[in-house]
Amino acid sequence: METYLINKSMVKQALTMKDCLHVTENAFKLYGLEQVQMPPKSYLYFEDYSGDLRCMPAYISEIGAAGIKAVNVHPENHSLNLPTVMATILLVDPKTGFPLAVMDGTHVTNMRTGAAGGVAVKYLAKENCKVITFIGTGMQARTQIEAISIAKPGLSHVKVYDIDQGAAEAFAEHCKEQYNLDTQVCKSVHEACADSDIIDCTTSSRKPLVTKADVPPGAHINAIGADAIGKQEIDIEVLKIAKVVIDDWVQASHSGEINVAVSQNALKREDISAELGQVIAKGLKPRESDSDITLFDSTGLAVQDLMTAAHVYKLITEKGDKSTLHA
């Protein structure tokens, strides 16, 4: 047996967003069917360096895949010209434990997180969405728009807000060039959210950015940015009126968008409408009308990484280019 070393450029060549959407949707479905062994992600906090390391294992017997992702989040890395998020995935043979591949997980993480936003929009947003808003315009916003434009091909207009005006303008231009969308760079969150069908938040904020007054009736919110204790993009009053769908209760209540509300006893488990995996696997429909507000709290599941990495591994090993891949 051989251990394949799969770098970022190889992952990028192999993995399309269309495939990643399909793989991610199936990952949620298997989790909703309780066919996945997946402990909650664990954290090591580097308090002296304002960063952390997360360990995310999973096993899916149906596809014979097992592995673990180690991923860091270091918000200050931009000053060092390094990515805020970097990851490595180890795939193992569940029959023997043999390491099948060591894979760059940074692009996998970006793509499957974008795909999760696309899957959430597919199942939770209303039909005929035209206007999408982005609060935050970093790398994750780019995979979000890539996935959502596939999930909702009728989009025609994108509104953008970022505290960095230059970043907002660059992202707006990206949406115009890549997806042929009309674009509007906004001066406030309220202006950006007005008349929007989908609101996609991808910031690292620790105070609410989107308030109840900002959210129009019928909007769907993707709350992507909160990934640690104390992070919060959406005001608690919005959570109280929205049909809230999470990816996993333990992770979301610990470090997802709902973590602050849960810690303040403003939101309880019975207030959650469903997990996204249950929506897909069991046909649950949290949205009952076009006026409902829905919200997806994405914390990122190891099953998403494992399914995506296994897909990439299969594509690359089938090519048989062992001269550049095996270790």
Side-chain angles (χ1 to χ4, degrees):
M1 298 181 72
E2 296 171 311
T3 303
Y4 282 69
L5 299 178
I6 302 174
N7 64 31
K8 183 184 291 187
S9 65
M10 295 160 67
V11 175
K12 285 185 173 182
Q13 290 175 10
L15 183 62
T16 68
M17 182 55 80
K18 184 177 180 180
D19 283 351
C20 195
L21 276 163
H22 175 74
V23 169
T24 300
E25 182 173 345
N26 195 36
F28 279 120
K29 181 179 179 180
L30 291 175
Y31 188 55
L33 292 171
E34 300 181 355
Q35 295 179 7
V36 175
Q37 188 179 149
M38 188 189 76
K41 69 177 74 172
S42 58
Y43 288 70
L44 294 174
Y45 295 100
F46 307 134
E47 296 178 357
D48 294 339
Y49 304 103
S50 300
D52 62 65
L53 179 69
R54 305 155 192 205
C55 300
M56 302 173 64
Y59 169 49
I60 309 170
S61 59
E62 180 172 304
I63 65 169
I68 185 168
K69 182 177 81 170
V71 56
N72 74 283
V73 177
H74 281 64
E76 303 303 319
N77 271 4
H78 63 275
S79 63
L80 302 173
N81 199 30
L82 288 172
T84 298
V85 176
M86 293 179 284
T88 304
I89 297 171
L90 173 66
L91 288 179
V92 303
D93 179 357
K95 183 183 295 185
T96 65
F98 187 88
L100 299 174
V102 178
M103 182 183 304
D104 181 276
T106 304
H107 190 63
V108 168
T109 300
N110 289 335
M111 291 287 281
R112 63 80 157 150
T113 307
V119 173
V121 163
K122 174 182 175 179
Y123 283 92
L124 303 177
K126 62 189 178 184
E127 298 294 329
N128 302 316
C129 292
K130 300 295 184 185
V131 181
I132 183 169
T133 294
F134 281 90
I135 310 299
T137 58
M139 175 59 70
Q140 187 45 233
R142 298 202 173 209
T143 55
Q144 290 287 314
I145 187 59
E146 184 178 2
I148 294 171
S149 66
I150 297 172
K152 290 290 183 181
L155 289 174
S156 60
H157 190 78
V158 60
K159 302 171 76 175
V160 178
Y161 173 78
D162 195 295
I163 57 174
D164 183 335
Q165 181 79 4
E169 292 173 354
F171 180 70
E173 186 64 23
H174 170 77
C175 292
K176 182 178 180 180
E177 291 182 355
Q178 295 295 318
Y179 306 103
N180 196 30
L181 296 171
D182 293 332
T183 62
Q184 178 183 351
V185 177
C186 301
K187 296 181 180 180
S188 69
V189 170
H190 185 75
E191 179 188 357
C193 292
D195 301 318
S196 186
D197 300 309
I198 301 167
I199 300 170
D200 202 277
C201 300
T202 59
T203 77
S204 57
S205 180
R206 289 184 173 270
K207 61 180 181 180
L209 301 173
V210 178
T211 69
K212 183 178 178 181
D214 298 324
V215 183
H220 169 72
I221 303 168
N222 273 345
I224 306 296
D227 59 358
I229 295 172
K231 287 190 177 182
Q232 182 184 23
E233 298 182 289
I234 314 298
D235 190 80
I236 291 174
E237 293 303 312
V238 177
L239 301 179
K240 290 181 177 180
I241 63 171
K243 303 293 183 68
V244 177
V245 175
I246 59 176
D247 53 11
D248 174 80
W249 168 255
V250 174
Q251 291 189 181
S253 61
H254 174 267
S255 52
E257 181 57 47
I258 67 171
N259 84 90
V260 174
V262 171
S263 70
Q264 296 178 3
N265 294 317
L267 199 71
K268 296 181 171 58
R269 189 164 189 171
E270 54 265 31
D271 298 319
I272 304 302
S273 294
E275 292 183 357
L276 185 57
Q278 296 170 335
V279 171
I280 298 168
K282 301 178 181 180
L284 303 183
K285 297 185 181 298
R287 175 178 291 278
E288 298 174 355
S289 74
D290 280 354
S291 62
D292 282 344
I293 294 169
T294 53
L295 182 145
F296 174 54
D297 181 356
S298 173
T299 63
L301 303 181
V303 64
Q304 297 169 242
D305 297 301
L306 180 59
M307 288 283 285
T308 306
H311 173 72
V312 170
Y313 173 77
K314 181 174 184 287
L315 292 175
I316 288 178
T317 55
E318 284 177 350
K319 291 180 179 180
D321 186 12
K322 296 180 180 180
S323 63
T324 59
L325 299 181
H326 75 278

